[in-house]
Amino acid sequence: AAAAIYGKEGANGVIIVTTKRGEKGSSKVNFHAYTSWNFLPEMPDLLNANQYAETRIKGLLNGGTEMDVINDSYGYYLQNFDQSTNWKDEIFRAGQLQNYTLSGSGGTEKANYYVSGNIVNQTGNVIENNYSSYNFKINTDLQINDWLRIGESVNFRHSDETPLNQRQGERIYRQLYRALPSIPVYDDTNINGGGFGYAPDSAQWNGANPVANYKLYDGFRKKDRFFANVYAEIRPFESLSWRTDISGRY
């Protein structure tokens, strides 16, 4: 039967999804609110700036580097650092999801309606990773006479999203563990670098500021989706009905 109606695309069966519609009876108003938080599992503690510098010097000495070479080429790590950056705390955060839906429905013998609005706000566990959407839906049905019924479904969705790009997602932990704790997150003197902290040449290090990688990435996406469907159903006899649907999306 499915193949007879939907052709070869229905050879494996067809799942028909129907949207919520109004029902006969008094009007109803419903409000649904949902919120949740997402936390990352416990991660290893990172070395602070002075601990990292001490470990770097020990590694050089154990590798056979002479102290005079260290003084000339790695003097950056011989100083006492007054500040230290915990990149784990700067990059990761608790994620939160907020979902709110307000709907109204009602109907009579001749007509019914269903209207709803939905708002979703979500912050990811990584800074600058956000998503929000606004959705509006309306469905109505109208019984014109004993043999003709018409109706429509309209759905509009707007979404704003700042996802992680592929490079950020794959390298997030590598960037985290490679970043020097002696680098401040921000440095007002680094005008060409967007005001973010950086490592001087004397640090002998070619890594990046992880926060700058996410703050300077412009991956904002805005999407609007519109879907509409209208139908007419003719029932000349109780045991026979014919329905035509016209739909479009943008």
Side-chain angles (χ1 to χ4, degrees):
I5 299 175
Y6 297 98
K8 65 178 181 180
E9 294 181 355
N12 294 322
V14 175
I15 297 176
I16 299 177
V17 178
T18 59
T19 59
K20 289 185 177 180
R21 312 194 77 85
E23 299 177 351
K24 177 184 175 182
S26 59
S27 297
K28 299 178 182 179
V29 176
N30 294 300
F31 177 72
H32 176 76
Y34 170 81
T35 185
S36 65
W37 287 265
N38 301 314
F39 299 94
L40 291 173
E42 194 66 29
M43 298 176 62
D45 292 331
L46 304 178
L47 299 177
N48 63 34
N50 288 312
Q51 290 172 334
Y52 180 88
E54 180 181 355
T55 302
R56 184 71 182 272
I57 295 300
K58 286 182 178 179
L60 291 170
L61 290 173
N62 291 338
T65 305
E66 298 293 337
M67 196 64 203
D68 58 341
V69 175
I70 293 177
N71 287 327
D72 292 338
S73 302
Y74 298 94
Y76 175 81
Y77 297 102
L78 296 174
Q79 63 179 302
N80 183 53
F81 294 96
D82 295 328
Q83 76 86 37
S84 181
T85 301
N86 187 326
W87 293 107
K88 179 176 63 174
D89 293 340
E90 298 294 338
I91 295 175
F92 295 120
R93 63 186 178 183
Q96 184 180 17
L97 170 65
Q98 296 175 300
N99 191 320
Y100 306 100
T101 301
L102 178 64
S103 64
S105 63
T108 66
E109 291 285 353
K110 295 294 185 180
N112 61 60
Y113 69 92
Y114 177 85
V115 181
S116 70
N118 173 257
I119 297 176
V120 174
N121 288 304
Q122 184 173 16
T123 56
N125 289 114
V126 180
I127 59 173
E128 302 302 309
N129 179 211
N130 306 300
Y131 173 84
S132 65
S133 68
Y134 311 92
N135 187 68
F136 175 76
K137 180 187 299 181
I138 180 171
N139 301 322
T140 60
D141 301 286
L142 181 63
Q143 188 74 45
I144 303 299
N145 51 43
D146 293 340
W147 56 269
L148 176 61
R149 183 179 182 87
I150 62 174
E152 100 290 326
S153 298
V154 177
N155 192 342
F156 173 76
R157 176 186 292 271
H158 171 84
S159 64
D160 296 320
E161 181 181 16
T162 307
L164 300 178
N165 62 31
Q166 182 177 4
R167 182 175 181 180
Q168 288 174 325
E170 291 177 349
R171 300 185 178 184
I172 182 170
Y173 290 102
R174 185 190 307 176
Q175 295 175 3
L176 171 66
Y177 292 121
R178 290 191 69 245
L180 289 181
S182 56
I183 301 175
V185 178
Y186 300 100
D187 183 350
D188 294 336
T189 65
N190 185 21
I191 299 177
N192 293 331
F196 291 94
Y198 68 101
D201 295 338
S202 58
Q204 300 285 348
W205 179 77
N206 63 351
N209 181 325
V211 173
N213 287 343
Y214 294 100
K215 293 284 187 180
L216 296 177
Y217 169 66
D218 184 14
F220 178 76
R221 300 175 184 175
K222 180 173 68 174
K223 295 181 180 179
D224 290 315
R225 293 289 183 268
F226 177 80
F227 172 81
N229 177 82
V230 295
Y231 77 89
E233 181 177 327
I234 299 175
R235 186 182 293 271
F237 308 105
E238 183 64 29
S239 59
L240 175 65
S241 66
W242 178 70
R243 173 166 169 154
T244 297
D245 287 82
I246 301 176
S247 61
R249 65 180 61 196
Y250 171 76

